[in-house]
């Protein structure tokens, strides 16, 4: 998992509410077993015309946004299907963080599991950032160590994030390896729980 | 452990499953049951194998095929969708290698995971249950904490039997009043989402309660909890009662004999204590609801069948207005026009929302002796192979077929268009469906999908336009 510390680059704006994971990657673009190489499927139904050529009106097709590092979006971004392909597609396209007033819950977990920062900012801050990106220049930065966003007009906004999620992104940690270190706790839980709720563990058939 | 504080159903289940606290409100939560399907499960197993890790508790893990598998009669382990065969093959090879219980193509227990998990007694009250699928919340209707995860959390649970989770806030939705004729669980949940929005339940474990729920069969309770995710909830759940126990008793994996009795006594302690406090309580008077139908591209864009398309965006910010304008344009509707009467090209009854035996019975009662309007492609996909067999034993398949519906094998089918069998409704068409998502292009390129109950779908199929079942009944 790629580490996230301090990133500076292009911010693309997609100010719509409820952008669902079916839009982020449509079903037919995820028909490949694996977790890599989904960048071409990102927003496929919006990004390509029926003949497969690029739709020049779509933001991520227009330079410099075709090299965006950040995406600024509306409420409830990533709602809908749990498909982790949505996060893999965003990551493989090169985007490192999404900034929105709220996210779909499963999508958010999937982001942390793949080194992508789902950054929640208040609606007014998101609106101000999107305005600055539209009117004053496309470059912005996010510093995860100091927990601040610098908008194109130089405005600095602080944010908060749970320490665990932050450390995971900073360190690019393999969570399963970390959890396996606590296997004695899991063992002990199951031993006691088996006495209390035997039907959970003694599965018929 | 003794708890002096009154607790909600959700809090009791949560407290029962905390293995360790990690700080910042995050916990390691034990997973009692984990279900895999080929679309997300194959990647989870592939990564597990790449890291040379084992399935920690394979006896707590189950798998089936539903998302990619064809639903056409006579199907096999090949699908028309490019790349689809790899999912079926990879999934099969890996679950077999890990000796995970697997309900495959020819297994009479095969079906949509959220339909078969409770049908088989895999999920039980008081349990934690995950699956790599957002509608896992469906099975919270038995009184479980069930939620959808991505492939990486699924892989985490395969390796460790725990996942990392933060405790959601608790919400109780009191559904009160007697439902009018023709109004179903689907209409109730759509109305709730319409009232409070697709993020109305965001951050909450949503418990459905009240007289409407008490009187409801399990099929309706599953429909309510199914769409908890469309309400933005982390999960939906319903306190277990006699209806729940009677439903679960025959399940193949439900406890038997003395173990059943012990389990039931435990389950009876799960409902919220009388003075338990929820972070939020909402009440919806259901007695005045009409059958609901969506008009847009998100489930909150919904109204009673006789309501017009709203004139204003629900959120009046510039983003809210842009989103509303996009929905109007995509859906080919105009503000203030009636949705009732819009001509349709397709009708679909199926999906984890509404494909249980009760749903098929209700639709069949409407279709009996009637015909689907010409030009309407109508498809019914039972939620599980066992639902299909039970329906056939009652002659329900014959009614559907005589009316002009295709009668399919069980699976996600056209609800997961783009994956299941690679099928879609025709470009740009208008479709009414008993599913849960009216997202852009979900049921086919530029297809406009209207969500409704199986009854409304059946009546609309017959009339060839979005219709109120009550007008059909009045016409005889
Ligand atoms: S029926 Fe539809 S919503 Fe349900 S699990 Fe399958 S694809 Fe998802």
């Amino acid at each position: 998992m790629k580490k996230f510390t301090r990133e500076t680059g292009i911010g693309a704006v997609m100010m719509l509410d409820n952008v669902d994971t079916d839009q982020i990657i449509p079903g037919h673009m995820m028909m490949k077993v694996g977790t890599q190489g989904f960048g071409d499927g990102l927003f496929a139904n919006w990004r390509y015309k029926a003949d497969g050529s690029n739709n020049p009106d779509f933001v991520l097709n227009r330079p410099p946004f075709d090299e965006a590092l950040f995406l600024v979006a509306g409420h409830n971004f990533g709602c809908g299907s749990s498909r982790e392909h949505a996060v893999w597609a965003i990551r493989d396209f090169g985007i490192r963080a999404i900034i929105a007033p709220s996210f779909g819950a499963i999508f958010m977990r999937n982001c942390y599991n793949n080194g992508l920062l789902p950054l929640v900012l208040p609606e007014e801050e998101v609106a101000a950032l999107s305005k600055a990106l539209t009117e004053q220049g496309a470059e912005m930065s996010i510093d995860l160590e100091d927990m601040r966003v610098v908008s194109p007009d130089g405005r600095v906004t602080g944010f908060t994030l749970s320490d665990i999620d932050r450390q995971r992104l900073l360190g690019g940690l393999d969570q399963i390896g970390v959890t396996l270190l606590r296997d004695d706790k899991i063992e002990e839980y199951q031993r006691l729980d088996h006495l209390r709720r035997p039907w959970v563990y003694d599965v018929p058939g | 452990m003794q708890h002096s504080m009154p607790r909600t159903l959700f809090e009791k289940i949560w407290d029962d499953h905390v293995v360790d606290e990690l700080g910042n409100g995050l916990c390691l939560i034990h997973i009692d049951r984990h279900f895999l399907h080929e679309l997300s499960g194959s990647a989870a197993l592939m990564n597990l194998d790449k890291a040379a890790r084992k399935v920690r508790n394979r006896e707590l893990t189950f798998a089936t095929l539903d998302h990619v598998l064809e639903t056409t009669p006579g199907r096999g382990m090949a699908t028309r969708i490019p790349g689809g065969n790899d999912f079926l093959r990879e999934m099969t090879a890996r679950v077999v290698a890990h000796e995970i219980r697997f309900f495959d193509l020819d297994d009479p227990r095969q079906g949509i995971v959220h339909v078969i998990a409770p049908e088989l007694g895999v999920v039980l009250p008081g349990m934690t249950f995950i699956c790599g699928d957002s509608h896992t919340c469906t099975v919270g209707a038995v009184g479980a904490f069930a939620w959808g995860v991505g492939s990486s959390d699924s892989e985490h649970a395969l390796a460790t039997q725990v996942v990392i989770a933060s405790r959601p806030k608790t919400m109780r939705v009191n559904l009160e009043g007697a439902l009018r004729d023709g109004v179903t669980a689907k209409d109730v949940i759509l109305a709730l989402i319409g009232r409070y929005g697709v993020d109305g339940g965001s951050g909450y474990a949503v418990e459905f309660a009240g007289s409407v729920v008490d009187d409801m069969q399990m099929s309706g309770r599953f429909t309510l909890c199914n769409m908890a995710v469309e309400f933005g909830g982390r999960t939906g759940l319903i306190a277990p009662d006699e209806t729940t126990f009677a439903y679960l008793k025959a399940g193949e994996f439900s406890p038997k004999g003395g173990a059943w009795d012990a389990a039931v006594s435990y389950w009876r302690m799960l409902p919220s204590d009388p003075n338990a406090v929820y972070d939020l309580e909402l009440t919806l008077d259901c007695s005045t609801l009409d059958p609901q139908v969506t008009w847009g591209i998100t489930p909150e864009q919904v109204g009673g069948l006789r309501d017009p398309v709203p004139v204003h965006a629900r959120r009046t910010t510039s983003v809210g207005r842009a989103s509303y304008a996009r929905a109007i344009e995509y859906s080919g509707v105009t503000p203030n026009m009636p949705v009732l009467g819009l001509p349709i090209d397709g009708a679909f009854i199926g999906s984890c929302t509404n494909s249980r035996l009760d749903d098929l019975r209700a639709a069949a009662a409407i279709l009996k002796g009637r015909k689907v309007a010409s030009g309407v492609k109508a498809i019914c996909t039972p939620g599980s192979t066992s639902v299909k067999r039970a329906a056939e034993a009652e002659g329900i398949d014959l009614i559907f077929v005589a009316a002009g519906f295709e009668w399919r094998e069980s699976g996600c089918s056209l609800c997961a268009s783009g994956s299941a069998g690679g099928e879609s409704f025709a470009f740009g068409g208008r479709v009414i469906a008993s599913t849960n998502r009216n997202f852009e292009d979900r049921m086919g390129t530029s297809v406009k999908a209207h969500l409704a109950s199986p009854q409304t779908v059946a009546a609309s199929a017959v009339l060839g336009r979005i219709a109120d079942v009550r007008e059909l009944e009045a016409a005889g």
Side-chain angles (χ1 to χ4, degrees):
Chain A
M1 202 166 95
K2 205 165 156 188
K3 294 180 185 182
F4 191 116
T5 44
R6 217 172 285 113
E7 299 281 355
T8 299
I10 303 297
V13 170
M14 184 178 283
M15 294 314 279
L16 284 174
D17 288 333
N18 305 317
V19 171
D20 59 78
T21 53
D22 275 64
Q23 308 315 317
I24 298 173
I25 185 165
H28 65 276
M29 297 303 285
M30 48 190 265
M31 285 292 113
K32 180 170 62 184
V33 182
T35 62
Q36 304 281 338
F38 291 97
D40 288 345
L42 181 65
F43 293 114
N45 288 339
W46 296 352
R47 194 161 139 212
Y48 308 119
K49 296 202 262 190
D51 65 2
S53 64
N54 277 355
N55 167 11
D57 296 334
F58 184 66
V59 58
L60 296 181
N61 287 333
R62 289 199 313 264
F65 306 109
D66 54 346
E67 302 201 337
L69 227 50
F70 309 107
L71 187 64
V72 181
H75 270 280
N76 207 23
F77 186 87
C79 61
S81 157
S82 64
R83 57 186 71 177
E84 199 156 321
H85 306 74
V87 168
W88 298 331
I90 293 171
R91 178 201 61 195
D92 294 348
F93 182 85
I95 290 172
R96 301 297 323 272
I98 302 144
I99 303 105
S102 61
F103 289 93
I106 304 170
F107 177 83
M108 214 164 168
R109 283 284 314 154
N110 288 342
C111 282
Y112 289 123
N113 286 343
N114 289 280
L116 207 69
L117 171 65
L119 182 57
V120 178
L121 288 184
E123 185 165 13
E124 317 76 66
E125 296 290 351
V126 175
L129 183 59
S130 104
K131 190 161 185 280
L133 284 167
T134 316
E135 293 171 3
Q136 283 172 295
E139 200 168 281
M140 57 173 284
S141 60
I142 297 182
D143 186 333
L144 190 56
E145 274 175 339
D146 295 344
M147 292 196 276
R148 45 189 221 148
V149 180
V150 184
S151 117
D153 54 1
R155 226 165 74 89
V156 178
T157 313
F159 61 85
T160 55
L161 193 67
S162 95
D163 202 42
I164 290 178
D165 294 326
R166 183 162 155 268
Q167 293 303 341
R168 269 189 75 190
L169 291 174
L170 285 171
L173 295 180
D174 163 29
Q175 187 59 51
I176 296 177
V178 175
T179 303
L180 283 172
L181 298 175
R182 295 174 190 257
D183 196 57
D184 53 335
K185 298 237 181 195
I186 301 166
E187 195 72 53
E188 179 65 1
Y189 170 88
Q190 289 190 341
R191 194 182 65 77
L192 292 173
D193 194 41
H194 197 150
L195 299 172
R196 194 176 47 148
R197 301 185 306 146
W199 59 89
V200 173
Y201 301 89
D202 306 332
V203 187
Chain B
M1 209 190 313
Q2 285 299 310
H3 290 270
S4 47
M5 289 281 288
R7 292 182 298 161
T8 66
L9 164 65
F10 180 81
E11 288 165 330
K12 293 180 192 185
I13 302 175
W14 177 270
D15 291 349
D16 265 359
H17 290 88
V18 176
V19 172
D20 205 1
E21 299 195 8
L22 305 176
N24 296 120
L26 290 172
C27 291
L28 287 186
I29 295 296
H30 187 260
I31 300 304
D32 297 340
R33 294 285 185 271
H34 185 183
F35 225 121
L36 304 168
H37 65 69
E38 75 275 29
L39 193 57
S40 60
S42 42
L45 285 164
M46 179 186 258
N47 271 13
L48 188 84
D49 288 342
K50 268 193 198 153
R53 286 176 175 138
K54 294 208 165 1
V55 177
R56 192 185 189 288
N57 290 100
R58 64 178 181 78
E59 72 285 8
L60 308 183
T61 312
F62 295 76
T64 193
L65 302 174
D66 56 3
H67 275 69
V68 178
L69 197 65
E70 297 258 349
T71 56
T72 41
R75 69 181 173 193
M77 281 293 277
T79 165
R80 286 163 287 174
I81 176 106
N85 291 347
D86 294 345
F87 284 84
L88 300 172
R89 204 181 40 236
E90 285 278 345
M91 181 72 175
T92 304
R94 292 182 198 271
V95 292
V96 168
H98 285 284
E99 298 180 57
I100 292 168
R101 279 194 191 84
F102 182 40
F103 314 130
D104 66 359
L105 173 72
D106 298 318
D107 196 301
R109 298 166 294 186
Q110 179 275 339
I112 303 174
V113 23
H114 318 306
V115 176
I116 63 176
E119 208 171 70
L120 293 168
V122 169
V123 60
L124 299 167
M127 280 187 171
T128 47
F129 179 97
I130 62 163
C131 172
D133 193 282
S134 58
H135 288 103
T136 306
C137 52
T138 311
V139 307
V142 304
F145 175 26
W147 76 106
V149 297
S151 299
S152 51
D153 272 353
S154 188
E155 182 194 347
H156 189 281
L158 285 168
T160 65
Q161 209 55 36
V162 295
V163 297
I164 296 176
S166 60
R167 204 187 83 163
K169 293 178 284 183
T170 56
M171 177 193 294
R172 179 159 64 187
V173 177
N174 301 301
L175 302 169
E176 303 294 353
L179 302 183
R180 290 176 177 162
D181 274 356
V183 178
T184 69
K186 180 65 161 287
D187 304 300
V188 170
I189 188 68
L190 282 172
L192 181 78
I193 296 167
R195 167 99 43 109
Y196 296 100
V198 286
D199 55 1
S202 189
Y204 290 95
V206 181
E207 181 180 340
F208 298 101
S211 60
V212 172
V213 178
D214 295 340
D215 296 343
M216 213 174 244
Q217 292 306 305
M218 289 309 295
S219 51
R221 296 181 185 184
F222 290 123
T223 303
L224 288 181
C225 289
N226 175 267
M227 293 192 73
V229 68
E230 273 68 46
F231 185 48
R234 280 269 293 281
T235 188
L237 70 171
I238 291 172
D241 62 6
E242 297 309 317
T243 306
T244 320
F245 306 146
Y247 174 91
L248 292 171
K249 180 122 203 215
E252 179 178 344
F253 300 101
S254 296
K256 306 283 178 274
W260 169 264
D261 297 336
V264 171
S265 1
Y266 191 89
W267 299 341
R268 286 192 203 285
M269 300 186 301
L270 288 170
S272 297
D273 298 326
N275 297 319
V277 180
Y278 292 80
D279 294 305
L280 186 64
E281 288 208 47
L282 304 176
T283 298
L284 187 71
D285 174 9
C286 302
S287 63
T288 57
L289 292 181
D290 274 329
Q292 306 281 305
V293 64
T294 61
W295 58 264
I297 53 174
T298 160
E300 70 183 24
Q301 289 165 338
V302 68
L305 265 173
R306 297 186 180 265
D307 297 339
V309 172
V311 182
H312 298 294
R314 99 181 270 121
R315 287 191 348 106
T316 52
T317 59
S318 62
V319 185
R321 287 197 305 272
S323 305
Y324 165 82
R326 188 177 180 100
I328 292 279
E329 195 199 329
Y330 181 89
S331 307
V333 295
T334 49
N336 221 7
M337 79 181 280
V339 183
L340 194 73
L342 275 174
I344 54 165
D345 309 291
F348 179 71
I349 295 178
S351 90
C352 52
T353 319
N354 282 117
S355 62
R356 293 170 197 83
L357 188 56
D358 288 343
D359 298 316
L360 304 189
R361 281 179 182 148
I366 292 155
L367 294 173
K368 190 165 186 164
R370 296 192 170 106
K371 287 249 181 277
V372 169
S374 70
V376 174
K377 185 177 174 68
I379 295 172
C380 175
T381 316
S384 70
T385 299
S386 104
V387 165
K388 178 173 185 265
R389 301 243 163 108
E392 287 168 350
E394 294 180 16
I396 285 174
D397 57 324
L398 301 178
I399 297 173
F400 270 93
V401 171
F405 263 80
E406 291 180 36
W407 180 254
R408 294 291 190 91
E409 297 291 342
S410 158
C412 293
S413 194
L414 279 100
C415 178
S417 160
S419 23
E423 293 179 90
S424 298
F425 281 102
F427 179 89
R430 190 176 296 285
V431 167
I432 189 159
S434 73
T435 59
N436 45 45
R437 285 185 177 145
N438 50 347
F439 296 162
E440 288 179 44
D441 302 306
R442 168 119 177 156
M443 301 193 79
T445 307
S446 297
V447 166
K448 306 154 187 75
H450 296 266
L451 308 178
S453 71
Q455 288 88 326
T456 302
V457 175
S460 303
V462 168
L463 291 175
R465 53 183 163 80
I466 296 182
D468 189 332
V469 61
R470 296 167 299 188
E471 72 182 286
L472 193 68
E473 278 163 0

